[in-house]
Every structure is written in structure tokens, then in C-alpha cells.
Amino acid sequence: MRSLSRLMAALAAMSACATLSAAPLALEEQARLVPPDSRYTHVSEVAVDGNRAVISAWREGPAGNDFILAAFLFERSSAGKWTSVATLLLDQPGSFLGEPDPVSVAVQGDVAAISWLGNLRIFERRSTGWVNTGTIRNPPNVAAMGRDVEIDGGTVIVSGEGPQMQVLAYRRNASGQWVQDGVMVAGPTRNVVHGHGGDTDIIGNQVFFGIPFEEELNNAPELASWLRTTSGWGNRGSFSLADLADPRALAFDGGTVLVNSPVWAGILKLKLAAGNLVPDGVRLQSADAFMLNRDGRTFASTFDIGSLAAAGGLGVVGMFGDDLRGEDAGSVHVYDIGANGGARPIARLLSSDASVQQFLGKTVEISGRRVIASGDHAAYIYDVPVDLSQPVVILDDFETGNASQWTPLAGSSFSVVPSNSTLVYRQSSVAGDAAASRTGLDWSNQAIEADARPTAFSASGERWFGLTVRQTDTGNFYYVTLRTTNRIEVRKLQNGSISVLASAPFPVTLNRTYRLRLEAVGTWIRAYVDGKLFVQARDSVHKRGTAGVRMYKAAVDYDNVTITPNPQVTLFANDFEEDVPFEWTSVMGGYTHVQDGSRVVEQTSTSGDARLIAGTDTGDQVVQMRAKAVTFNGADRWFGPVARYADDYNFYYMTVRSSNQVSLRKLTGANVTVLDSAPLPVTTNTWYTLRLEAVGNSLRGYVNGRLVVEARDSSIAAGRYGMAMYKTAARFDDLLALEP
């Protein structure tokens, strides 16, 4: 078992190097590749090179506990249509161990290769089509071959396993036959062979091979490398990864190597310098690290990492456990790994037909800017655009005293008015339809989020209030409604005709503030309340338009409107039901778990500062939690959420204080600045729901759903998030950090 102290030491050493995570562009597939033989209903491995792709697939055999394997090659026409042009493998019996051993595939130019269960077949494109020009069985001293196959520059490599792990290389000889060009051996000696080798990659004359940790051997994970010269393949040595990574997946792109890292629940990036590998202090970690389930209580990690790929300065990470579009629906994350030596997330690839346990991203590959990813029933093709620019996030808190950027629907009664020490956009009529749309907005992907407080409903009928997206005119848009019949619904208005796309029970009461959000990203329409997903639907009728607010026979106050071109990202979530120590990258104070209705975390020290900080650096963020003080040690002690935690001396924080105040503050260097404050009765052993928002230069603090403090400040651009306290023993639960 890995030493916790070693894990924490590694975290402390590298936490300062966390990569700034801007909101990546959300993209759906350009094409979906389905096995041409309809009997094969499961896709496993994928490969792509320009306009060619290979996928492997499997089906259950007649016994019900066996598997039949296949592989198919596709080509893309000049019109952009992908068509199956060759069957490379069909009706080959597979494994009988509960799940099929995959058929590994590779393609480059006019050469394709498939490997499985000790077999390697090489195909070449001739004038008559694709022809099998090489068939290799397990060579001597190799008990198992075929876990990974790769091609580059006329060399085919395949991983294998005997007493030690191996990489076998094949090239054409002078007669055009495929012959073994070298055997590369690495890793500890085993008494029992029980696999098919590790993950490997090749570029030109360089090969890397991963030797993962094996409990029975207690070996240190490492990367072995070889270089081909005129005298053959020479071992360049190995790089010990210790606790930093476990290379069950790796990718090689010139001077960069990516390996999966269970320590980070992400990817470690290493740099090849003068023939040696060194960590460059960068990790690739999905911003959407955790997903909050609809009940608001259960949190699930999405760090199920599939394969990796890298090319042309882009790194691709398959995250097949991502729950954004359903439990284990999966996604693929694309990073710019050449940007100033760092790793910037630039795109998140999603499937338009996402479903539970689709496992998108179990295997991935990249060619240029074209990415292919496996799903359970198909392979998905994406073209990552060169221009990744997105519209600037729109913020409107109406503190200017006007709503000049909004266009009301005729008959509405909108005005900007004071309410509880702030200004709101109030619609006061309950006579009928009322709406306002944001002027000058015409986006495809968009999400609008706002505080919405209904203040009056008409005396009869079903009344509602909500938000709109992709509105082109008064008769065409999507909208979410909170209704007096105690339901939340997502609807479509198309040429004046209403369709209910999704609905769920939801209690609606007057004078309660709801943080309401509506997204239209790709073909998915999703509605959230207070950060939790409640209803979703798929529809492709409305492609783009503006966003706004809308209601029927309801008077509503709207405030703190945010309009973004991205889906909501759950940066971090923890309900403290389990111990996951490596989530926390900065720890001060003493912590234990106790029962308080549910399992919560308690910080027990009252001697000074205490804090828990988590995640990777982001700019826009919303930090929410339940918290209560157990003991205040002295006067004016405090506890609360932290946002944009750049380091120990630079962050924003909201404090609930024993002096019966709530205070919004920033620490810059050694200086504390009070940005805003308000009275708040504070008692020990009372739970408070706290939310701190840092979006653009707008800072807002909420207590129990009510906005109590706000300010504008731009001195701290990005950071992590968490909780802090001073001379206060406090309990915390349901920590949630979101990127709007």
C-alpha cells in the first residue's frame, strides 16, 4: 500500500505548480462510427490517422460467457462521410474470463495493425484493397502478446509479456516481408505470466514503455525507453515514477510524455531533456473532478481514466467515468501541452447520444487535430478547431441602476429597483406573459444563471417564472419554468407551439430566492436549481440565439445574471462520507470525522488559523457548503468559504463571525481588506448554508440563499477553493465548488 506521508509530500511539492484551468470549449462529435456488422454491439479500441480509422468490436458468443472479436477499417470521403471499407478481423473467439480481451488497433498511412491474444496481423493498402501482409504469433520467450500496438515511420511495435515485460518491433525487410526488428525487455522478473504487456508508444526511432506497479512484486512504477540506431534498438534506461504515477496508460509526443497518476487522479506530464525524463511540475487534471448527484447528498468521483494520446502539442485524456451527461457516460479532455511548458485545458468532447455507462473515452487516439474515442456501442470522431476563442462571460448585477442591455417584451413591467441593500431587475405585473432578453447576444452554446425571487402570483391558473436560451424571436426558444403546480419543466417553443421536453416535481414558494440555471450546450438542454441538476432533455431544433428571463402571471425579482458559453463544471465536491486525503492540497488545523445528522468533518483546533484547500486553479468559481461553529475561542472569531486561493497569502474569503457579522474580505500579501460586511445573528451549533461567488470581478456572498455581501475586485485572478477559520472549532459538510 502506498505511504500516505509520501503521497502528501508529493502533493506539497507540486501543488504550487497546478495549471490554470480556463473553461474548455464543449464539443459534440462530427461523426459516429458503428460496426458495419450489426451483431457487434460493443466497441473497445480505436485508432485514427487523417481520413482513416480502425475500430475493434465484440459480441457475446453462443455460450453466453464467451466473446467473439472483430475489427473494421473506415475511410472519410471528400464530402466528409465515414464509410467502412475493410474488415480486418471477424468472428475470432476471445477470452472466457468474464470480459473480452480487446483487439488493439493502429493505423498510419497505408499500414494498419491489429493485435489480440498473442496474434499480430499487419495490413497494407494495395490497388486491390487492404491485404494482410504479415501474421505473427507469439515469438520465443513471449508468453503473451497484444495489449497495445502502435505504428510510426514503418515500424510496428506491440507490447508483450514473458518472464519480463517486453516491446517487440517489426519492420519490412529487403524483400518486403514483416520481420522482427528488435525485442525490448524491461521491468522485474515474474514467476507467473498473467497479462499481455503494458502500454507503449513510438515516435520515429524512440519508444517508451510503461511498467506499472504490481502489488505482489512491490515494484516501483517506471518508464523504460529505447532509441533505434544503425546498430539496432538500444536501452536508454528507465525513469522511476515512485508514487507520482502508475503508467497503465501513456502517450509520447516528441519531447513530452504523459502517464496516468493515481496520486493526482489525473495525468503527470514529463519532459524529455538530453535523453532523460524529468517531471516538469505540471499535471493534467480534469476541472470537472467530481459530480454532484441530483439528490444533493451523494458525490461521485469522475476520475476513471482511459487511454491517453498526444500529437502536435495536444494531449488527449479519456475520462470514461465522467458523469456530466449521465453516470459513467464519459467524456474526453483535450489539453494544450505545449503552451509555455504548461498544460491548458482547451476542449471537452462529449457525445450527443450520451447515456448511462456509455464509457466514452475508454480508448482515445489523435491525428493532427482529429480525435477518435470509443463509446460502448460506437466510436466518435471530433475535429478540434484551431480557433478556440469563446464569447466573453456576461455579468449583470444591475448595480448601475439601469437595464440598458435588456429588451423587455411588450406589456412587461420591468424596472431596476432597490431590494435588501442591492438593486434588482423587477418585473411587477401579474397580468400575463412577461419577458426580457439580453441585447446583442447570438450564441450557439450558452447558459444563463440568475437569482430569481417570485414576489407575487396572480390569483388563479398555473403560473410560472424562469429563463430562456437560444431565442431567435418571441415564438422560438427553449425555456425552464418553476411552476405553482410545484414542478420544474424544460420546454420548447417552436413557431408558437409548446412542447414539454422534461419535467420533475419541485416545490415552489413565494419570496424564496432560487439560483436558477438553464443550459443549451450542443444538443443537450439542462436545468439546475442551486447548483443541482433537476431536468434535462435532448433537442436540436433551435441552434442559436439570445438568452433572457421569462414568466407568466408572476412578479419576479432577478439579480446577478451570468451568461456563459459553457456547461456548468463541478470543480470539486465532498460530502465527507469517505476519507480521500489526497483531495486536499493545503491543510492547516486538526480534522476528524463525526456524526451530525450525517458524516461531517470537524476542525478541532482553536489556537489560530485553520484551512482546507482543494482542487486546481480556476478563475470563475462558486464555493458552497454547510457549516457551523462548535466553539469560538475569544471575540470576533470566524469561519467560512474561500475562493481563488492563489497561495497562503492571496485569496478571497467570506467570514461568519462571532461578533454577529458576515464579512467579505481579501488577503493580499500580509494585508486584510474588508470589501463588504453586514449584520448577521451568529450562534454556535447552528448550521448555515454559505456560498461565495467569484465571477469576473464580481464577488458575492450568500447565507441561507440570501445575498448578504457583495463587492467588485480584480486583484486575485485565479486560485483554488475550500474553507478557512480562525480560532474556531467548526463543522463542515457538502462542500461544492462550481465553475459557472
Side-chain angles (χ1 to χ4, degrees), residues 54-185:
V54 180
I55 69 173
S56 65
W58 59 274
R59 61 184 174 89
E60 291 187 2
N65 63 349
D66 59 338
F67 304 94
I68 311 298
L69 308 175
F72 308 99
L73 192 146
F74 292 76
E75 290 187 353
R76 181 180 181 272
S77 70
S78 58
K81 182 179 180 180
W82 289 86
T83 304
S84 175
V85 296
T87 297
L88 307 184
L89 181 71
L90 192 68
D91 292 346
Q92 173 66 43
S95 168
F96 296 84
L97 299 177
E99 62 180 38
D101 284 312
V103 178
S104 298
V105 296
V107 62
Q108 187 181 75
D110 290 336
V111 179
I114 58 174
S115 65
W116 81 101
L117 296 177
N119 296 271
L120 172 64
R121 288 186 187 175
I122 302 172
F123 295 80
E124 296 181 71
R125 187 177 183 275
R126 302 287 173 80
S127 58
T128 56
W130 287 86
V131 179
N132 182 194
T133 58
T135 299
I136 297 107
R137 295 282 300 171
N138 282 342
N141 300 317
V142 178
M145 180 178 69
R147 171 63 186 87
D148 189 22
V149 62
E150 304 286 345
I151 304 173
D152 194 65
T155 299
V156 177
I157 61 171
V158 60
S159 61
E161 191 168 313
Q164 290 177 279
M165 288 192 174
Q166 305 178 31
V167 180
L168 302 104
Y170 295 89
R171 293 176 63 88
R172 299 183 195 87
N173 62 14
S175 302
Q177 297 175 314
W178 289 93
V179 297
Q180 190 176 102
D181 184 59
V183 179
M184 296 159 261
V185 180

Side-chain angles (χ1 to χ4, degrees), residues 163-243:
Q164 290 177 279
M165 288 192 174
Q166 305 178 31
V167 180
L168 302 104
Y170 295 89
R171 293 176 63 88
R172 299 183 195 87
N173 62 14
S175 302
Q177 297 175 314
W178 289 93
V179 297
Q180 190 176 102
D181 184 59
V183 179
M184 296 159 261
V185 180
T189 301
R190 296 161 176 76
N191 295 323
V192 179
V193 176
H194 57 271
H196 301 290
D199 209 38
T200 186
D201 207 353
I202 179 174
I203 291 184
N205 59 358
Q206 297 181 87
V207 165
F208 280 90
F209 184 66
I211 300 102
F213 170 78
E214 295 184 50
E215 188 171 356
E216 64 272 22
L217 298 175
N218 197 30
N219 65 301
E222 58 183 311
L223 286 177
S225 65
W226 290 268
L227 179 69
R228 188 179 190 275
T229 64
T230 54
S231 57
W233 289 96
N235 189 345
R236 303 180 71 181
S238 62
F239 177 80
S240 177
L241 297 168
D243 281 331

